[in-house]
């Protein structure tokens, strides 16, 4: 294992040929133009080419005071956390600690409803059909979060594995299974397996005091600034704090399959469950779109996959009231772009910015975002 760790560390240094990124004045200018056009306070971008960090930029401000956003500024990853966690889960699969298609009941020392956090599922035996793959492809039938239900209780709304419905509850349950069933502390293990070996020194699944001197607050759509949330517990669905420098390293790792066997890396980005819904939200929409089949829109492990003009690609977004982020990777030539913003409406500039970074990918923006009109490139 020590030899493997040393090999991974050496590979990580190559991935991050990160520090001396080539200049990309054209992309920088487009970031600045779109940031101004979309009225986004701060935008950070990492570009990955051939599985290596090619360029990193951070522009704008990180807070109401006007302090500059920098590549080392700690920003909230939001739901991009889910893709990072899923990549980590594939490491456990690679080692034989987990199997994607074995029911979670196999790993838990007692029935799921016997745990207080999941007592709401008592009487619904469908939980026994749930597997890690079902959780990571958002197909367990859970609401996004239980508190969105009128009674704020967790329930299963359809046959597990039968369709896609975005659910942070499912990702957090996968964390629970690993912690309760395998006895692993997920936050610490992700740090040891991913963040430290990749040199992601300003990333963590919980708040660290050393983040405080250089963090990004966020701005709501209405213009009101909110402070960065100091998250005190690990949540696989969305507790990651990181920087664009660090996320560039991680995206490069994902693009190249660092730390995984070829088989596990292929499984991570394989579209295992076709997605037929017209949009990602509302999660239980009955509206469908037959055009999804034309691009093979499907759920991979913690990411969504599709076929575009450049071939197979995958993506994961992250959003809350004061954050909008996007990761898009094209498998051919191992190319990715990561965009982190400290704005609730940063997504308005994503279509044009992703196109500027990667060219036309065929990214299904209408499925991912149906709420805001995008700012178009001229």
């Amino acid at each position: 294992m020590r030899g493997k760790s040393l090999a991974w560390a050496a590979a990580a240094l190559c991935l991050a040929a990160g520090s001396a990124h080539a200049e990309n004045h054209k992309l920088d200018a487009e970031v600045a133009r779109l940031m101004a056009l979309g009225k986004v306070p701060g935008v950070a971008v990492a570009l990955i080419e051939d599985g290596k960090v090619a360029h990193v930029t951070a522009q704008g401000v990180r807070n109401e005071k006007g302090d500059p956003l920098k590549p080392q500024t700690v920003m909230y990853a939001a739901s991009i956390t889910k893709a990072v966690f899923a990549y980590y889960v594939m490491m456990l699969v690679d080692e034989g600690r987990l199997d994607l298609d074995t029911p979670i009941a196999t790993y838990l020392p007692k029935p799921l409803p016997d745990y207080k956090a999941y007592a709401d599922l008592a009487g619904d035996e469908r939980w026994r059909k749930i597997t890690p793959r079902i959780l990571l492809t958002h197909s367990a039938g859970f609401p996004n979060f239980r508190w969105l239900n009128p009674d704020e209780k967790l329930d299963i709304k359809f046959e597990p594995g039968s369709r896609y419905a975005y659910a942070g509850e499912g990702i957090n349950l996968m964390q629970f299974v690993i912690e309760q069933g395998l006895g692993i502390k997920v936050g610490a293990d992700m740090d040891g397996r991913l963040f430290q070996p990749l040199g992601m020194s300003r990333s963590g699944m919980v708040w660290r005091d050393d983040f405080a001197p250089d963090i990004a607050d966020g701005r709501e759509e209405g213009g009101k600034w909110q402070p960065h949330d100091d998250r005190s517990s690990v949540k696989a669905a969305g507790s990651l704090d990181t920087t664009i420098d660090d996320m560039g390293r991680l995206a490069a790792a994902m693009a190249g399959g660092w730390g995984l066997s070829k088989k596990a890396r292929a499984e991570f980005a394989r579209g295992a469950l076709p997605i037929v819904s017209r949009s990602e939200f509302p999660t239980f929409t009955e509206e469908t779109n037959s055009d999804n089949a034309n691009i093979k829109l499907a759920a991979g492990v913690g990411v969504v996959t599709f076929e575009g003009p450049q071939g197979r690609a995958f993506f994961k977004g992250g959003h809350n009231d004061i954050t909008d982020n996007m990761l898009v990777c094209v498998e051919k030539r191992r190319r990715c772009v990561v965009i982190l913003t400290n704005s609730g409406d940063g997504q308005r500039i994503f279509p044009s910015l992703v196109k500027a970074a990667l060219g036309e990918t065929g990214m299904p923006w209408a499925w991912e975002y149906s709420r805001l009109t995008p700012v178009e490139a001229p």
Side-chain angles (χ1 to χ4, degrees), residues 58-101:
Q59 301 184 34
V61 299
R62 65 180 177 89
N63 55 28
E64 190 171 15
K65 232 169 71 179
D67 292 326
L69 183 70
K70 295 176 290 189
Q72 301 80 29
T73 299
V74 172
M75 305 179 74
Y76 178 42
S79 284
I80 286 182
T81 307
K82 294 178 174 69
V84 179
F85 171 71
Y87 198 83
Y88 155 77
V89 170
M90 291 310 302
M91 290 179 157
L92 299 179
V93 171
D94 233 359
E95 291 177 4
R97 308 285 300 275
L98 281 172
D99 180 84
L100 288 177
D101 299 308

Short mmCIF file of all heavy atoms in Angstrom, two decimals, residues 58-101:
data_model
loop_
_atom_site.label_atom_id
_atom_site.label_comp_id
_atom_site.label_asym_id
_atom_site.label_seq_id
_atom_site.Cartn_x
_atom_site.Cartn_y
_atom_site.Cartn_z
N ALA A 58 -8.83 33.64 -11.13
CA ALA A 58 -9.86 34.08 -10.18
C ALA A 58 -9.99 35.59 -10.34
O ALA A 58 -8.99 36.32 -10.30
CB ALA A 58 -9.47 33.73 -8.75
N GLN A 59 -11.21 36.04 -10.54
CA GLN A 59 -11.45 37.46 -10.81
C GLN A 59 -12.62 37.96 -9.97
O GLN A 59 -13.48 37.19 -9.54
CB GLN A 59 -11.74 37.68 -12.30
CG GLN A 59 -10.63 37.22 -13.22
CD GLN A 59 -10.90 37.54 -14.67
OE1 GLN A 59 -11.51 38.55 -15.00
NE2 GLN A 59 -10.43 36.67 -15.57
N GLY A 60 -12.66 39.26 -9.76
CA GLY A 60 -13.74 39.87 -9.00
C GLY A 60 -13.42 39.93 -7.52
O GLY A 60 -12.26 39.94 -7.11
N VAL A 61 -14.49 39.97 -6.72
CA VAL A 61 -14.32 40.17 -5.28
C VAL A 61 -14.90 38.99 -4.51
O VAL A 61 -15.79 38.30 -4.97
CB VAL A 61 -14.99 41.49 -4.82
CG1 VAL A 61 -14.35 42.68 -5.54
CG2 VAL A 61 -16.50 41.47 -5.06
N ARG A 62 -14.39 38.82 -3.28
CA ARG A 62 -14.82 37.69 -2.45
C ARG A 62 -15.81 38.08 -1.37
O ARG A 62 -16.39 37.21 -0.72
CB ARG A 62 -13.62 36.99 -1.84
CG ARG A 62 -12.81 37.81 -0.83
CD ARG A 62 -11.63 36.99 -0.30
NE ARG A 62 -10.76 37.71 0.62
CZ ARG A 62 -10.92 37.79 1.93
NH1 ARG A 62 -11.95 37.19 2.50
NH2 ARG A 62 -10.07 38.45 2.68
N ASN A 63 -16.02 39.38 -1.16
CA ASN A 63 -16.94 39.83 -0.11
C ASN A 63 -17.44 41.24 -0.39
O ASN A 63 -17.01 41.88 -1.36
CB ASN A 63 -16.26 39.75 1.27
CG ASN A 63 -14.95 40.53 1.33
OD1 ASN A 63 -14.76 41.50 0.60
ND2 ASN A 63 -14.06 40.11 2.21
N GLU A 64 -18.35 41.67 0.45
CA GLU A 64 -18.96 42.99 0.26
C GLU A 64 -17.94 44.11 0.38
O GLU A 64 -18.07 45.17 -0.22
CB GLU A 64 -20.10 43.18 1.27
CG GLU A 64 -20.95 44.41 1.03
CD GLU A 64 -22.19 44.44 1.91
OE1 GLU A 64 -22.25 43.67 2.89
OE2 GLU A 64 -23.12 45.23 1.60
N LYS A 65 -16.90 43.87 1.16
CA LYS A 65 -15.85 44.85 1.36
C LYS A 65 -15.05 45.12 0.09
O LYS A 65 -14.43 46.16 -0.08
CB LYS A 65 -14.89 44.33 2.44
CG LYS A 65 -14.63 45.31 3.57
CD LYS A 65 -13.90 44.62 4.71
CE LYS A 65 -12.47 44.30 4.32
NZ LYS A 65 -11.74 43.64 5.44
N GLY A 66 -15.07 44.15 -0.81
CA GLY A 66 -14.34 44.31 -2.06
C GLY A 66 -12.97 43.66 -2.07
O GLY A 66 -12.17 43.91 -2.98
N ASP A 67 -12.66 42.79 -1.10
CA ASP A 67 -11.39 42.08 -1.11
C ASP A 67 -11.33 41.17 -2.35
O ASP A 67 -12.33 40.54 -2.72
CB ASP A 67 -11.23 41.23 0.15
CG ASP A 67 -11.07 42.08 1.40
OD1 ASP A 67 -10.46 43.16 1.30
OD2 ASP A 67 -11.57 41.66 2.47
N PRO A 68 -10.18 41.08 -2.98
CA PRO A 68 -10.10 40.33 -4.24
C PRO A 68 -10.27 38.83 -4.05
O PRO A 68 -9.80 38.25 -3.07
CB PRO A 68 -8.69 40.66 -4.75
CG PRO A 68 -7.91 41.02 -3.52
CD PRO A 68 -8.89 41.70 -2.61
N LEU A 69 -10.95 38.22 -5.01
CA LEU A 69 -11.04 36.76 -5.08
C LEU A 69 -9.74 36.24 -5.70
O LEU A 69 -9.33 36.73 -6.76
CB LEU A 69 -12.24 36.34 -5.92
CG LEU A 69 -12.52 34.85 -6.04
CD1 LEU A 69 -13.02 34.30 -4.71
CD2 LEU A 69 -13.54 34.56 -7.13
N LYS A 70 -9.11 35.27 -5.06
CA LYS A 70 -7.83 34.75 -5.53
C LYS A 70 -7.92 33.24 -5.74
O LYS A 70 -8.84 32.60 -5.23
CB LYS A 70 -6.73 35.08 -4.50
CG LYS A 70 -6.46 36.58 -4.33
CD LYS A 70 -5.45 36.86 -3.24
CE LYS A 70 -6.02 36.57 -1.85
NZ LYS A 70 -5.14 37.02 -0.75
N PRO A 71 -6.97 32.65 -6.47
CA PRO A 71 -7.01 31.20 -6.68
C PRO A 71 -6.95 30.41 -5.38
O PRO A 71 -7.39 29.26 -5.33
CB PRO A 71 -5.76 30.94 -7.53
CG PRO A 71 -5.54 32.22 -8.27
CD PRO A 71 -5.93 33.30 -7.29
N GLN A 72 -6.43 31.01 -4.30
CA GLN A 72 -6.32 30.32 -3.01
C GLN A 72 -7.48 30.65 -2.07
O GLN A 72 -7.51 30.16 -0.93
CB GLN A 72 -5.00 30.68 -2.32
CG GLN A 72 -3.75 30.33 -3.12
CD GLN A 72 -3.44 31.35 -4.22
OE1 GLN A 72 -3.77 32.52 -4.09
NE2 GLN A 72 -2.82 30.88 -5.29
N THR A 73 -8.43 31.47 -2.51
CA THR A 73 -9.58 31.82 -1.67
C THR A 73 -10.48 30.61 -1.48
O THR A 73 -10.84 29.93 -2.45
CB THR A 73 -10.39 32.97 -2.31
OG1 THR A 73 -9.55 34.12 -2.43
CG2 THR A 73 -11.60 33.31 -1.46
N VAL A 74 -10.86 30.34 -0.24
CA VAL A 74 -11.74 29.21 0.04
C VAL A 74 -13.17 29.56 -0.35
O VAL A 74 -13.71 30.58 0.07
CB VAL A 74 -11.67 28.82 1.53
CG1 VAL A 74 -12.73 27.78 1.88
CG2 VAL A 74 -10.28 28.28 1.87
N MET A 75 -13.76 28.71 -1.17
CA MET A 75 -15.12 28.89 -1.66
C MET A 75 -15.93 27.64 -1.33
O MET A 75 -15.38 26.58 -1.03
CB MET A 75 -15.11 29.16 -3.17
CG MET A 75 -14.23 30.34 -3.58
SD MET A 75 -14.20 30.65 -5.36
CE MET A 75 -15.83 31.39 -5.61
N TYR A 76 -17.23 27.76 -1.38
CA TYR A 76 -18.11 26.63 -1.06
C TYR A 76 -18.36 25.82 -2.32
O TYR A 76 -18.80 26.36 -3.34
CB TYR A 76 -19.42 27.17 -0.48
CG TYR A 76 -20.45 26.10 -0.16
CD1 TYR A 76 -20.08 24.91 0.44
CD2 TYR A 76 -21.79 26.31 -0.46
CE1 TYR A 76 -21.03 23.94 0.73
CE2 TYR A 76 -22.74 25.35 -0.16
CZ TYR A 76 -22.35 24.16 0.43
OH TYR A 76 -23.29 23.20 0.72
N ALA A 77 -18.08 24.53 -2.28
CA ALA A 77 -18.26 23.67 -3.45
C ALA A 77 -19.73 23.34 -3.71
O ALA A 77 -20.09 22.96 -4.82
CB ALA A 77 -17.47 22.38 -3.28
N ALA A 78 -20.58 23.46 -2.66
CA ALA A 78 -22.00 23.08 -2.77
C ALA A 78 -22.09 21.64 -3.29
O ALA A 78 -21.33 20.78 -2.87
CB ALA A 78 -22.75 24.07 -3.65
N SER A 79 -22.99 21.37 -4.23
CA SER A 79 -23.25 19.98 -4.62
C SER A 79 -22.19 19.36 -5.51
O SER A 79 -22.28 18.17 -5.83
CB SER A 79 -24.63 19.87 -5.28
OG SER A 79 -25.63 19.94 -4.30
N ILE A 80 -21.18 20.11 -5.92
CA ILE A 80 -20.04 19.45 -6.56
C ILE A 80 -19.41 18.47 -5.57
O ILE A 80 -18.76 17.50 -5.95
CB ILE A 80 -19.03 20.50 -7.09
CG1 ILE A 80 -19.60 21.17 -8.35
CG2 ILE A 80 -17.69 19.85 -7.42
CD1 ILE A 80 -18.69 22.18 -9.00
N THR A 81 -19.66 18.71 -4.28
CA THR A 81 -19.25 17.75 -3.24
C THR A 81 -19.70 16.34 -3.59
O THR A 81 -18.98 15.36 -3.34
CB THR A 81 -19.85 18.14 -1.87
OG1 THR A 81 -19.53 19.51 -1.58
CG2 THR A 81 -19.34 17.25 -0.76
N LYS A 82 -20.89 16.20 -4.14
CA LYS A 82 -21.44 14.88 -4.45
C LYS A 82 -20.56 14.13 -5.44
O LYS A 82 -20.34 12.92 -5.30
CB LYS A 82 -22.86 15.02 -5.01
CG LYS A 82 -23.89 15.55 -4.03
CD LYS A 82 -25.26 15.70 -4.70
CE LYS A 82 -26.35 16.10 -3.71
NZ LYS A 82 -26.19 17.47 -3.20
N ALA A 83 -20.05 14.82 -6.46
CA ALA A 83 -19.18 14.17 -7.44
C ALA A 83 -17.85 13.79 -6.81
O ALA A 83 -17.29 12.73 -7.11
CB ALA A 83 -18.97 15.09 -8.64
N VAL A 84 -17.33 14.65 -5.94
CA VAL A 84 -16.07 14.37 -5.25
C VAL A 84 -16.23 13.14 -4.35
O VAL A 84 -15.40 12.22 -4.35
CB VAL A 84 -15.62 15.59 -4.43
CG1 VAL A 84 -14.32 15.29 -3.68
CG2 VAL A 84 -15.45 16.81 -5.33
N PHE A 85 -17.32 13.10 -3.61
CA PHE A 85 -17.62 11.96 -2.74
C PHE A 85 -17.77 10.68 -3.57
O PHE A 85 -17.25 9.62 -3.19
CB PHE A 85 -18.89 12.24 -1.95
CG PHE A 85 -19.42 11.06 -1.18
CD1 PHE A 85 -18.76 10.58 -0.06
CD2 PHE A 85 -20.60 10.43 -1.58
CE1 PHE A 85 -19.25 9.49 0.65
CE2 PHE A 85 -21.10 9.34 -0.87
CZ PHE A 85 -20.42 8.87 0.25
N ALA A 86 -18.46 10.78 -4.70
CA ALA A 86 -18.67 9.59 -5.53
C ALA A 86 -17.35 9.04 -6.06
O ALA A 86 -17.15 7.83 -6.13
CB ALA A 86 -19.60 9.94 -6.70
N TYR A 87 -16.44 9.93 -6.42
CA TYR A 87 -15.12 9.49 -6.88
C TYR A 87 -14.39 8.74 -5.76
O TYR A 87 -13.77 7.70 -5.97
CB TYR A 87 -14.30 10.69 -7.35
CG TYR A 87 -13.12 10.33 -8.22
CD1 TYR A 87 -13.28 10.12 -9.59
CD2 TYR A 87 -11.85 10.20 -7.67
CE1 TYR A 87 -12.19 9.78 -10.38
CE2 TYR A 87 -10.76 9.86 -8.46
CZ TYR A 87 -10.93 9.66 -9.82
OH TYR A 87 -9.86 9.33 -10.61
N TYR A 88 -14.53 9.27 -4.55
CA TYR A 88 -13.96 8.62 -3.37
C TYR A 88 -14.60 7.24 -3.16
O TYR A 88 -13.90 6.26 -2.86
CB TYR A 88 -14.17 9.52 -2.15
CG TYR A 88 -14.19 8.80 -0.83
CD1 TYR A 88 -13.01 8.35 -0.22
CD2 TYR A 88 -15.40 8.57 -0.17
CE1 TYR A 88 -13.04 7.68 1.00
CE2 TYR A 88 -15.43 7.91 1.04
CZ TYR A 88 -14.25 7.47 1.63
OH TYR A 88 -14.28 6.81 2.83
N VAL A 89 -15.91 7.15 -3.31
CA VAL A 89 -16.59 5.86 -3.14
C VAL A 89 -16.04 4.83 -4.12
O VAL A 89 -15.86 3.65 -3.77
CB VAL A 89 -18.12 6.01 -3.32
CG1 VAL A 89 -18.80 4.64 -3.38
CG2 VAL A 89 -18.72 6.82 -2.18
N MET A 90 -15.71 5.27 -5.34
CA MET A 90 -15.16 4.32 -6.32
C MET A 90 -13.80 3.78 -5.87
O MET A 90 -13.42 2.68 -6.26
CB MET A 90 -15.04 4.98 -7.69
CG MET A 90 -16.39 5.28 -8.36
SD MET A 90 -17.54 3.87 -8.40
CE MET A 90 -16.57 2.65 -9.30
N MET A 91 -13.08 4.52 -5.03
CA MET A 91 -11.85 3.98 -4.46
C MET A 91 -12.15 2.80 -3.54
O MET A 91 -11.44 1.79 -3.54
CB MET A 91 -11.11 5.08 -3.69
CG MET A 91 -10.51 6.16 -4.57
SD MET A 91 -9.68 7.43 -3.59
CE MET A 91 -8.55 8.11 -4.82
N LEU A 92 -13.22 2.93 -2.76
CA LEU A 92 -13.63 1.83 -1.87
C LEU A 92 -14.11 0.63 -2.68
O LEU A 92 -13.87 -0.53 -2.32
CB LEU A 92 -14.72 2.31 -0.92
CG LEU A 92 -14.35 3.46 0.03
CD1 LEU A 92 -15.56 3.84 0.89
CD2 LEU A 92 -13.16 3.10 0.91
N VAL A 93 -14.79 0.90 -3.78
CA VAL A 93 -15.24 -0.17 -4.67
C VAL A 93 -14.03 -0.89 -5.25
O VAL A 93 -13.97 -2.12 -5.31
CB VAL A 93 -16.14 0.40 -5.79
CG1 VAL A 93 -16.43 -0.67 -6.85
CG2 VAL A 93 -17.45 0.93 -5.21
N ASP A 94 -13.04 -0.11 -5.70
CA ASP A 94 -11.82 -0.66 -6.27
C ASP A 94 -11.11 -1.61 -5.31
O ASP A 94 -10.52 -2.62 -5.72
CB ASP A 94 -10.86 0.49 -6.62
CG ASP A 94 -10.39 0.44 -8.06
OD1 ASP A 94 -10.79 -0.49 -8.79
OD2 ASP A 94 -9.63 1.34 -8.47
N GLU A 95 -11.17 -1.30 -4.03
CA GLU A 95 -10.50 -2.11 -3.01
C GLU A 95 -11.34 -3.30 -2.55
O GLU A 95 -10.91 -4.08 -1.70
CB GLU A 95 -10.15 -1.24 -1.80
CG GLU A 95 -9.08 -0.21 -2.08
CD GLU A 95 -8.80 0.69 -0.89
OE1 GLU A 95 -9.40 0.46 0.19
OE2 GLU A 95 -8.01 1.62 -1.03
N GLY A 96 -12.57 -3.41 -3.06
CA GLY A 96 -13.44 -4.50 -2.65
C GLY A 96 -14.15 -4.25 -1.33
O GLY A 96 -14.79 -5.15 -0.78
N ARG A 97 -14.07 -3.02 -0.84
CA ARG A 97 -14.77 -2.69 0.42
C ARG A 97 -16.27 -2.54 0.19
O ARG A 97 -17.08 -2.76 1.09
CB ARG A 97 -14.22 -1.39 1.02
CG ARG A 97 -12.71 -1.31 1.20
CD ARG A 97 -12.22 -2.14 2.37
NE ARG A 97 -12.77 -1.74 3.66
CZ ARG A 97 -12.27 -0.78 4.42
NH1 ARG A 97 -11.21 -0.06 4.02
NH2 ARG A 97 -12.80 -0.52 5.61
N LEU A 98 -16.64 -2.12 -1.01
CA LEU A 98 -18.04 -1.93 -1.39
C LEU A 98 -18.27 -2.53 -2.76
O LEU A 98 -17.34 -2.61 -3.58
CB LEU A 98 -18.38 -0.44 -1.48
CG LEU A 98 -18.66 0.38 -0.23
CD1 LEU A 98 -18.78 1.86 -0.60
CD2 LEU A 98 -19.91 -0.09 0.49
N ASP A 99 -19.52 -2.91 -3.03
CA ASP A 99 -19.93 -3.31 -4.37
C ASP A 99 -21.12 -2.44 -4.75
O ASP A 99 -22.06 -2.29 -3.95
CB ASP A 99 -20.32 -4.79 -4.40
CG ASP A 99 -20.77 -5.22 -5.78
OD1 ASP A 99 -19.89 -5.55 -6.61
OD2 ASP A 99 -21.98 -5.19 -6.06
N LEU A 100 -21.09 -1.85 -5.92
CA LEU A 100 -22.14 -0.90 -6.30
C LEU A 100 -23.53 -1.53 -6.34
O LEU A 100 -24.52 -0.83 -6.14
CB LEU A 100 -21.83 -0.28 -7.67
CG LEU A 100 -20.68 0.73 -7.72
CD1 LEU A 100 -20.44 1.19 -9.16
CD2 LEU A 100 -20.98 1.94 -6.83
N ASP A 101 -23.60 -2.81 -6.61
CA ASP A 101 -24.90 -3.44 -6.82
C ASP A 101 -25.31 -4.41 -5.71
O ASP A 101 -26.26 -5.18 -5.86
CB ASP A 101 -24.91 -4.13 -8.18
CG ASP A 101 -24.69 -3.13 -9.30
OD1 ASP A 101 -25.42 -2.11 -9.34
OD2 ASP A 101 -23.77 -3.33 -10.11
#
